Amino acid sequence: MKPDSRREQLKTLILTEKPSVARDFAKALNIRGSRDGYIEDNNYIITWAVGHLVELLEPEDYDKKWKKWHLDTLPIIPEAFRYKSVGRTEKQLDTIRTLLKKGSVGEIVIATDAGREGEVIARTILLYAGFRDEKKVKRFWTSQALTPQVVREGMKTLEPASSYERLWRAGQSRQIADWLVGMNGSRAATIKMN
């Protein structure tokens, strides 16, 4: 039996950090199909974050007792840290979540900024969206200006996202440490100083 030639070709989804970078990728890869929140052709879907699209929950999102600021509720340490969407960018997050669930997506390319924060932005989006197939995720990495040549060359030298796992874990640890110090320190200082 012959394979169905009408079967949809698998596409590469590229996740950038901002719309201007998505346009740089689209220009380099000659993609013109602009949509609401993404750019698409027969081979690629390019979408973008707008900075952080998800953030750690507030204390009261974990437990109502942490809504009021009292010394006897400190320190605030959730059993597990979870994320919520950032209200003003929820539409773009929903777009990315929908694209990640498309059956036509065969590979994900993280193309956020090369660094810890860029890694955190992409990985928290994937985590929040429930995307778990790590084998499908690759990393585009450059510290050069995104000229068409740099984009095309970088797309030929993608590495598994797992190669950047330590960077992601370091970024997430810093994010959680900032939350712990900020939430507990701010409350303790405010209560003590009245």
Side-chain angles (χ1 to χ4, degrees):
M1 186 173 193
K2 242 183 185 179
D4 186 354
S5 59
R6 294 171 298 169
R7 188 181 302 166
E8 195 171 1
Q9 175 181 333
L10 292 180
K11 298 181 182 186
T12 298
L13 186 144
I14 301 170
L15 175 59
T16 68
E17 195 159 328
K18 48 192 170 258
S20 61
V21 175
R23 288 190 296 272
D24 290 340
F25 271 82
K27 180 180 176 185
L29 301 172
N30 200 25
I31 302 167
R32 292 187 175 79
S34 189
R35 311 275 194 278
D36 188 14
Y38 63 102
I39 305 164
E40 181 176 24
D41 74 356
N42 293 331
N43 300 309
Y44 295 100
I45 301 169
I46 305 172
T47 191
W48 52 86
V50 190
H52 291 271
L53 299 184
V54 295
E55 62 190 4
L56 290 167
L57 294 177
E58 296 295 321
E60 59 270 19
D61 296 328
Y62 293 103
D63 193 323
K64 297 290 181 219
K65 73 179 179 189
W66 288 332
K67 186 171 178 82
K68 293 201 182 271
W69 291 30
H70 294 293
L71 280 178
D72 60 341
T73 61
L74 297 179
I76 298 169
I77 304 174
E79 283 185 33
F81 284 88
R82 298 190 318 266
Y83 293 89
K84 65 180 179 179
S85 61
V86 176
R88 62 184 164 71
T89 58
E90 199 156 10
K91 182 180 178 200
Q92 186 60 24
L93 179 61
D94 287 342
T95 297
I96 294 169
R97 289 169 75 182
T98 300
L99 293 170
L100 286 168
K101 291 176 184 168
K102 282 181 98 167
S104 61
V105 172
E107 180 178 71
I108 312 292
V109 174
I110 295 174
T112 48
D113 291 353
R116 189 174 64 188
E117 278 310 299
E119 199 68 21
V120 168
I121 286 170
R123 298 293 191 103
T124 54
I125 291 169
L126 294 175
L127 181 69
Y128 185 78
F131 188 82
R132 301 279 186 264
D133 193 349
E134 290 292 319
K135 289 179 285 205
K136 282 186 171 185
V137 185
K138 302 277 194 267
R139 186 62 158 105
F140 175 95
W141 190 274
T142 187
S143 53
Q144 299 177 47
L146 283 177
T147 64
Q149 181 180 352
V150 167
V151 170
R152 287 191 292 270
E153 289 300 314
M155 289 298 289
K156 291 177 188 172
T157 59
L158 299 172
E159 291 189 42
S162 59
S163 299
Y164 296 87
E165 190 69 19
R166 289 186 351 191
L167 186 65
W168 152 233
R169 294 297 172 200
Q172 187 184 42
S173 296
R174 191 247 352 122
Q175 186 182 52
I176 289 169
D178 285 354
W179 189 97
L180 287 167
V181 171
M183 294 300 175
N184 290 292
S186 295
R187 288 178 185 222
T190 301
I191 293 165
K192 286 282 193 186
M193 297 168 146
N194 202 14

